[in-house]
Amino acid sequence: MRLSVLDHGHRRRARLFMAVTGKLSGVTSPDIVKLLLYRPGFLTRPLLELAAPAMRGESYWTAGEREYLAMSTAQVHECPFCVVTHAELIRIAGNGEIDPDRPLDARPELLAVQRFLEDVSRDLEPVPPSGLPAQAVLEALNVNLVWNIVNRLANAFGFELLEGQLKVGTKALHRAGYRFPGFLLADSPDDLRESVFEQPARTSPELRRAAGTGEGLEAPWRDYAASVRDASQRITDDDVRRLLAAGCTEDEIFEVTVAAAVGAALRSFDAGRDALKARGD
Protein backbone atom coordinates (compact mmCIF):
# COMPACT_ATOMS: atom_id res chain seq x y z
CA MET A 1 0.00 0.00 0.00
CA ARG A 2 0.98 3.61 -0.39
CA LEU A 3 1.55 4.05 3.35
CA SER A 4 4.14 1.73 4.83
CA VAL A 5 2.48 1.94 8.26
CA LEU A 6 -0.55 0.12 6.87
CA ASP A 7 1.68 -2.85 6.12
CA HIS A 8 4.07 -2.72 9.06
CA GLY A 9 2.77 -0.40 11.77
CA HIS A 10 0.31 -2.61 13.62
CA ARG A 11 0.02 -3.33 17.32
CA ARG A 12 1.53 -6.60 18.52
CA ARG A 13 -1.84 -8.33 18.94
CA ALA A 14 -2.82 -7.43 15.37
CA ARG A 15 0.53 -8.69 14.04
CA LEU A 16 0.09 -11.99 15.89
CA PHE A 17 -3.48 -12.34 14.61
CA MET A 18 -2.46 -11.75 11.01
CA ALA A 19 0.50 -14.11 11.33
CA VAL A 20 -1.66 -16.91 12.73
CA THR A 21 -4.50 -16.48 10.24
CA GLY A 22 -1.99 -16.20 7.41
CA LYS A 23 -0.32 -19.45 8.45
CA LEU A 24 -3.65 -21.26 8.74
CA SER A 25 -5.02 -19.98 5.42
CA GLY A 26 -1.79 -20.01 3.45
CA VAL A 27 -2.18 -16.40 2.30
CA THR A 28 -1.28 -13.03 3.78
CA SER A 29 -3.97 -10.77 5.18
CA PRO A 30 -5.77 -8.66 2.56
CA ASP A 31 -5.21 -4.92 2.54
CA ILE A 32 -8.69 -4.22 3.95
CA VAL A 33 -7.83 -6.25 7.06
CA LYS A 34 -4.53 -4.41 7.47
CA LEU A 35 -6.33 -1.08 7.18
CA LEU A 36 -8.97 -1.96 9.77
CA LEU A 37 -6.43 -3.32 12.24
CA TYR A 38 -4.15 -0.29 12.01
CA ARG A 39 -5.14 2.35 14.59
CA PRO A 40 -8.48 0.56 15.26
CA GLY A 41 -9.49 3.18 17.80
CA PHE A 42 -9.64 5.87 15.13
CA LEU A 43 -12.11 4.42 12.62
CA THR A 44 -12.56 0.68 12.84
CA ARG A 45 -14.95 0.11 15.72
CA PRO A 46 -17.71 2.52 14.60
CA LEU A 47 -17.30 1.45 10.98
CA LEU A 48 -17.70 -2.22 11.87
CA GLU A 49 -20.65 -1.33 14.10
CA LEU A 50 -22.27 -0.02 10.92
CA ALA A 51 -21.03 -2.70 8.54
CA ALA A 52 -22.04 -5.85 10.43
CA PRO A 53 -25.78 -5.09 10.74
CA ALA A 54 -25.89 -3.36 7.36
CA MET A 55 -24.42 -6.37 5.55
CA ARG A 56 -25.59 -9.34 7.66
CA GLY A 57 -28.27 -8.09 10.06
CA GLU A 58 -32.01 -8.43 9.55
CA SER A 59 -33.04 -6.56 6.42
CA TYR A 60 -35.55 -6.22 3.62
CA TRP A 61 -32.62 -7.13 1.37
CA THR A 62 -30.96 -10.54 1.26
CA ALA A 63 -27.23 -10.84 1.98
CA GLY A 64 -26.58 -11.39 -1.73
CA GLU A 65 -28.58 -8.30 -2.66
CA ARG A 66 -26.63 -6.20 -0.20
CA GLU A 67 -23.40 -7.48 -1.72
CA TYR A 68 -24.78 -6.44 -5.10
CA LEU A 69 -25.42 -2.92 -3.78
CA ALA A 70 -21.87 -2.85 -2.41
CA MET A 71 -20.49 -3.95 -5.78
CA SER A 72 -22.53 -1.28 -7.53
CA THR A 73 -21.09 1.39 -5.22
CA ALA A 74 -17.58 0.11 -5.98
CA GLN A 75 -18.31 0.46 -9.70
CA VAL A 76 -19.27 4.11 -9.18
CA HIS A 77 -15.92 4.74 -7.46
CA GLU A 78 -14.03 2.61 -9.98
CA CYS A 79 -12.47 0.55 -7.21
CA PRO A 80 -11.27 -2.72 -8.78
CA PHE A 81 -10.36 -4.29 -5.42
CA CYS A 82 -13.90 -3.78 -4.13
CA VAL A 83 -15.69 -4.70 -7.37
CA VAL A 84 -13.96 -8.08 -7.56
CA THR A 85 -14.35 -8.74 -3.84
CA HIS A 86 -18.09 -8.05 -3.75
CA ALA A 87 -18.70 -9.98 -6.96
CA GLU A 88 -17.21 -13.01 -5.22
CA LEU A 89 -19.26 -12.31 -2.09
CA ILE A 90 -22.42 -12.22 -4.23
CA ARG A 91 -21.59 -15.74 -5.35
CA ILE A 92 -20.96 -16.87 -1.77
CA ALA A 93 -23.85 -15.13 -0.03
CA GLY A 94 -26.40 -15.01 -2.85
CA ASN A 95 -27.08 -18.72 -3.27
CA GLY A 96 -27.55 -18.20 -6.99
CA GLU A 97 -30.24 -15.52 -6.63
CA ILE A 98 -28.05 -12.92 -8.35
CA ASP A 99 -25.44 -13.35 -11.04
CA PRO A 100 -22.86 -10.55 -10.72
CA ASP A 101 -22.27 -10.87 -14.46
CA ARG A 102 -26.01 -10.43 -15.19
CA PRO A 103 -27.16 -7.79 -12.69
CA LEU A 104 -30.20 -6.74 -14.73
CA ASP A 105 -31.77 -10.10 -13.92
CA ALA A 106 -32.11 -9.06 -10.26
CA ARG A 107 -35.55 -8.29 -8.85
CA PRO A 108 -36.95 -4.86 -9.88
CA GLU A 109 -37.00 -3.52 -6.30
CA LEU A 110 -33.25 -4.06 -6.02
CA LEU A 111 -32.55 -2.36 -9.34
CA ALA A 112 -34.71 0.58 -8.32
CA VAL A 113 -32.89 1.16 -5.04
CA GLN A 114 -29.55 0.59 -6.79
CA ARG A 115 -30.28 3.50 -9.15
CA PHE A 116 -31.15 5.68 -6.15
CA LEU A 117 -27.89 4.75 -4.40
CA GLU A 118 -25.91 5.46 -7.54
CA ASP A 119 -27.25 9.02 -7.55
CA VAL A 120 -26.46 9.27 -3.82
CA SER A 121 -22.89 8.10 -4.44
CA ARG A 122 -22.41 10.54 -7.31
CA ASP A 123 -23.83 13.46 -5.31
CA LEU A 124 -26.66 13.87 -7.79
CA GLU A 125 -30.11 14.86 -6.56
CA PRO A 126 -31.45 11.52 -5.35
CA VAL A 127 -35.12 10.56 -5.76
CA PRO A 128 -36.18 7.65 -3.53
CA PRO A 129 -37.82 4.81 -5.46
CA SER A 130 -41.58 4.67 -5.14
CA GLY A 131 -43.28 1.55 -3.86
CA LEU A 132 -40.51 0.60 -1.45
CA PRO A 133 -40.89 0.84 2.33
CA ALA A 134 -38.91 3.68 3.84
CA GLN A 135 -37.10 1.22 6.11
CA ALA A 136 -35.92 -0.78 3.10
CA VAL A 137 -34.50 2.35 1.47
CA LEU A 138 -32.79 3.36 4.73
CA GLU A 139 -31.25 -0.11 5.05
CA ALA A 140 -29.87 0.24 1.54
CA LEU A 141 -28.51 3.69 2.42
CA ASN A 142 -26.62 2.16 5.36
CA VAL A 143 -24.96 -0.31 2.99
CA ASN A 144 -24.05 2.55 0.69
CA LEU A 145 -22.57 4.61 3.53
CA VAL A 146 -20.16 1.86 4.54
CA TRP A 147 -18.84 1.29 1.03
CA ASN A 148 -18.69 4.95 0.05
CA ILE A 149 -16.10 5.14 2.83
CA VAL A 150 -14.23 1.92 2.14
CA ASN A 151 -14.05 2.40 -1.64
CA ARG A 152 -12.44 5.81 -1.27
CA LEU A 153 -9.90 4.43 1.20
CA ALA A 154 -9.13 1.44 -1.01
CA ASN A 155 -8.44 3.74 -3.95
CA ALA A 156 -6.44 6.28 -1.97
CA PHE A 157 -4.25 3.73 -0.18
CA GLY A 158 -3.78 1.51 -3.25
CA PHE A 159 -5.44 -1.75 -2.21
CA GLU A 160 -4.40 -4.78 -4.25
CA LEU A 161 -5.49 -8.41 -4.21
CA LEU A 162 -2.66 -10.93 -4.05
CA GLU A 163 -2.90 -14.48 -5.31
CA GLY A 164 -5.16 -16.63 -3.14
CA GLN A 165 -6.60 -13.77 -1.09
CA LEU A 166 -9.92 -13.45 -2.93
CA LYS A 167 -11.37 -16.88 -2.16
CA VAL A 168 -9.95 -17.16 1.35
CA GLY A 169 -10.69 -13.59 2.37
CA THR A 170 -14.28 -13.45 1.14
CA LYS A 171 -15.18 -16.77 2.75
CA ALA A 172 -13.71 -15.62 6.06
CA LEU A 173 -15.52 -12.28 5.86
CA HIS A 174 -18.85 -13.93 5.10
CA ARG A 175 -18.38 -16.53 7.82
CA ALA A 176 -17.53 -13.85 10.39
CA GLY A 177 -20.51 -11.72 9.39
CA TYR A 178 -18.32 -8.65 8.89
CA ARG A 179 -17.17 -8.80 12.51
CA PHE A 180 -13.66 -8.87 13.98
CA PRO A 181 -12.66 -10.45 17.30
CA GLY A 182 -13.16 -7.93 20.06
CA PHE A 183 -9.59 -8.20 21.38
CA LEU A 184 -8.34 -6.68 18.12
CA LEU A 185 -10.41 -3.55 18.50
CA ALA A 186 -9.63 -0.55 20.67
CA ASP A 187 -11.74 1.76 22.78
CA SER A 188 -13.32 4.32 20.52
CA PRO A 189 -16.37 6.55 20.37
CA ASP A 190 -19.29 4.54 18.99
CA ASP A 191 -20.37 7.41 16.75
CA LEU A 192 -18.53 7.56 13.42
CA ARG A 193 -18.49 11.36 13.28
CA GLU A 194 -17.11 11.67 16.80
CA SER A 195 -14.50 8.96 16.23
CA VAL A 196 -13.09 10.51 13.07
CA PHE A 197 -13.63 14.23 13.56
CA GLU A 198 -13.67 14.96 17.28
CA GLN A 199 -11.50 12.63 19.34
CA PRO A 200 -7.81 13.42 20.00
CA ALA A 201 -5.46 12.06 17.32
CA ARG A 202 -2.20 12.94 15.56
CA THR A 203 -3.94 15.72 13.62
CA SER A 204 -6.24 18.37 15.02
CA PRO A 205 -10.04 18.03 14.90
CA GLU A 206 -10.08 21.29 12.94
CA LEU A 207 -7.91 19.82 10.20
CA ARG A 208 -9.97 16.64 10.02
CA ARG A 209 -13.26 18.51 9.87
CA ALA A 210 -11.85 20.69 7.10
CA ALA A 211 -10.71 17.58 5.20
CA GLY A 212 -14.22 16.18 5.50
CA THR A 213 -15.89 19.27 4.06
CA GLY A 214 -13.17 20.97 2.03
CA GLU A 215 -13.90 24.27 3.75
CA GLY A 216 -10.88 26.23 4.94
CA LEU A 217 -8.36 23.56 3.96
CA GLU A 218 -4.97 24.82 2.82
CA ALA A 219 -1.97 23.38 0.98
CA PRO A 220 -0.60 20.75 0.96
CA TRP A 221 -3.85 19.04 1.98
CA ARG A 222 -6.42 20.91 -0.11
CA ASP A 223 -6.05 19.20 -3.50
CA TYR A 224 -5.36 15.76 -2.03
CA ALA A 225 -8.41 15.76 0.26
CA ALA A 226 -10.57 16.99 -2.62
CA SER A 227 -9.41 14.01 -4.69
CA VAL A 228 -10.28 11.61 -1.86
CA ARG A 229 -13.75 13.10 -1.60
CA ASP A 230 -14.54 13.52 -5.28
CA ALA A 231 -12.26 11.33 -7.43
CA SER A 232 -10.40 8.82 -5.27
CA GLN A 233 -9.77 6.55 -8.25
CA ARG A 234 -7.40 9.20 -9.66
CA ILE A 235 -5.05 9.24 -6.67
CA THR A 236 -1.58 7.94 -7.50
CA ASP A 237 1.64 7.09 -5.70
CA ASP A 238 2.93 10.54 -6.67
CA ASP A 239 0.12 12.27 -4.77
CA VAL A 240 1.21 10.57 -1.57
CA ARG A 241 4.89 11.18 -2.28
CA ARG A 242 4.20 14.92 -2.63
CA LEU A 243 2.61 15.01 0.81
CA LEU A 244 5.55 13.16 2.32
CA ALA A 245 7.98 15.51 0.59
CA ALA A 246 6.04 18.46 2.05
CA GLY A 247 6.75 17.13 5.54
CA CYS A 248 3.46 15.34 6.24
CA THR A 249 3.82 12.13 8.22
CA GLU A 250 2.19 8.85 7.21
CA ASP A 251 -0.09 8.98 10.24
CA GLU A 252 -1.21 12.48 9.29
CA ILE A 253 -1.91 11.31 5.75
CA PHE A 254 -3.84 8.35 7.13
CA GLU A 255 -6.05 10.53 9.33
CA VAL A 256 -6.72 13.18 6.70
CA THR A 257 -7.56 10.51 4.12
CA VAL A 258 -10.00 8.82 6.49
CA ALA A 259 -11.57 12.16 7.40
CA ALA A 260 -12.02 13.15 3.76
CA ALA A 261 -13.55 9.78 2.88
CA VAL A 262 -15.90 9.75 5.87
CA GLY A 263 -16.91 13.37 5.31
CA ALA A 264 -17.82 12.73 1.68
CA ALA A 265 -19.71 9.54 2.50
CA LEU A 266 -21.70 11.21 5.28
CA ARG A 267 -22.56 14.10 2.97
CA SER A 268 -24.02 11.65 0.47
CA PHE A 269 -25.79 9.65 3.18
CA ASP A 270 -27.37 12.78 4.65
CA ALA A 271 -28.59 13.84 1.18
CA GLY A 272 -30.19 10.43 0.62
CA ARG A 273 -31.82 10.43 4.03
CA ASP A 274 -33.09 14.00 3.53
CA ALA A 275 -34.61 12.99 0.18
CA LEU A 276 -36.37 10.13 1.93
CA LYS A 277 -37.73 12.48 4.60
CA ALA A 278 -38.87 14.97 1.94
CA ARG A 279 -40.96 12.19 0.42
CA GLY A 280 -42.83 12.07 3.69
CA ASP A 281 -41.29 8.88 5.11
Side-chain angles (χ1 to χ4, degrees):
M1 284 181 280
R2 292 180 176 127
L3 298 180
S4 62
V5 291
L6 295 180
D7 281 316
H8 308 297
H10 299 82
R11 299 181 304 167
R12 183 172 182 270
R13 68 186 68 178
R15 294 198 304 271
L16 288 173
F17 173 79
M18 290 188 290
V20 170
T21 55
K23 185 174 182 179
L24 292 174
S25 66
V27 297
T28 58
S29 295
D31 288 344
I32 182 62
V33 173
K34 293 179 180 180
L35 168 72
L36 293 173
L37 293 185
Y38 179 69
R39 302 270 309 278
F42 182 68
L43 166 73
T44 304
R45 184 181 291 275
L47 183 63
L48 292 178
E49 288 297 320
L50 286 171
M55 299 307 293
R56 291 297 182 269
E58 291 187 12
S59 177
Y60 178 91
W61 311 103
T62 68
E65 287 175 332
R66 282 174 273 176
E67 294 296 347
Y68 167 76
L69 296 176
M71 184 184 76
S72 176
T73 302
Q75 290 169 335
V76 169
H77 292 291
E78 300 176 34
C79 177
F81 176 96
C82 298
V83 170
V84 172
T85 298
H86 289 294
E88 183 63 20
L89 279 161
I90 290 172
R91 298 183 180 97
I92 294 171
N95 298 315
E97 64 187 0
I98 304 175
D99 183 346
D101 297 321
R102 296 175 58 87
L104 295 182
D105 292 343
R107 61 170 169 152
E109 295 89 345
L110 182 65
L111 297 178
V113 84
Q114 181 271 328
R115 289 189 290 270
F116 169 68
L117 295 183
E118 183 172 340
D119 288 344
V120 168
S121 297
R122 296 187 186 279
D123 286 329
L124 302 175
E125 188 171 343
V127 178
S130 59
L132 276 176
Q135 183 61 29
V137 179
L138 183 58
E139 289 165 355
L141 271 171
N142 287 333
V143 172
N144 185 249
L145 170 60
V146 170
W147 302 110
N148 270 334
I149 295 171
V150 174
N151 291 173
R152 286 181 169 94
L153 297 180
N155 282 336
F157 293 138
F159 282 15
E160 293 182 354
L161 273 171
L162 302 181
E163 185 177 354
Q165 287 181 337
L166 179 62
K167 298 288 186 182
V168 172
T170 50
K171 287 180 181 177
L173 187 62
H174 177 63
R175 185 169 58 249
Y178 281 83
R179 294 190 181 277
F180 276 51
F183 75 90
L184 293 172
L185 305 181
D187 290 336
S188 168
D190 292 333
D191 180 74
L192 183 64
R193 297 175 198 263
E194 182 181 357
S195 175
V196 172
F197 298 119
E198 303 299 336
Q199 71 167 321
R202 311 291 172 81
T203 55
S204 69
E206 291 78 13
L207 175 59
R208 281 174 270 141
R209 288 195 292 268
T213 63
E215 298 175 2
L217 201 61
E218 299 179 352
W221 297 114
R222 183 177 55 247
D223 292 343
Y224 173 76
S227 293
V228 175
R229 292 192 309 271
D230 303 326
S232 60
Q233 71 276 15
R234 297 179 186 172
I235 293 174
T236 67
D237 295 353
D238 287 340
D239 294 314
V240 175
R241 290 193 191 105
R242 278 191 287 271
L243 291 175
L244 293 170
C248 305
T249 69
E250 290 203 350
D251 268 315
E252 289 172 337
I253 296 170
F254 172 77
E255 291 179 7
V256 169
T257 305
V258 169
V262 170
L266 287 171
R267 176 189 64 199
S268 298
F269 175 79
D270 290 343
R273 189 172 54 181
D274 290 345
L276 193 59
K277 290 179 180 178
R279 194 180 74 175
D281 295 314

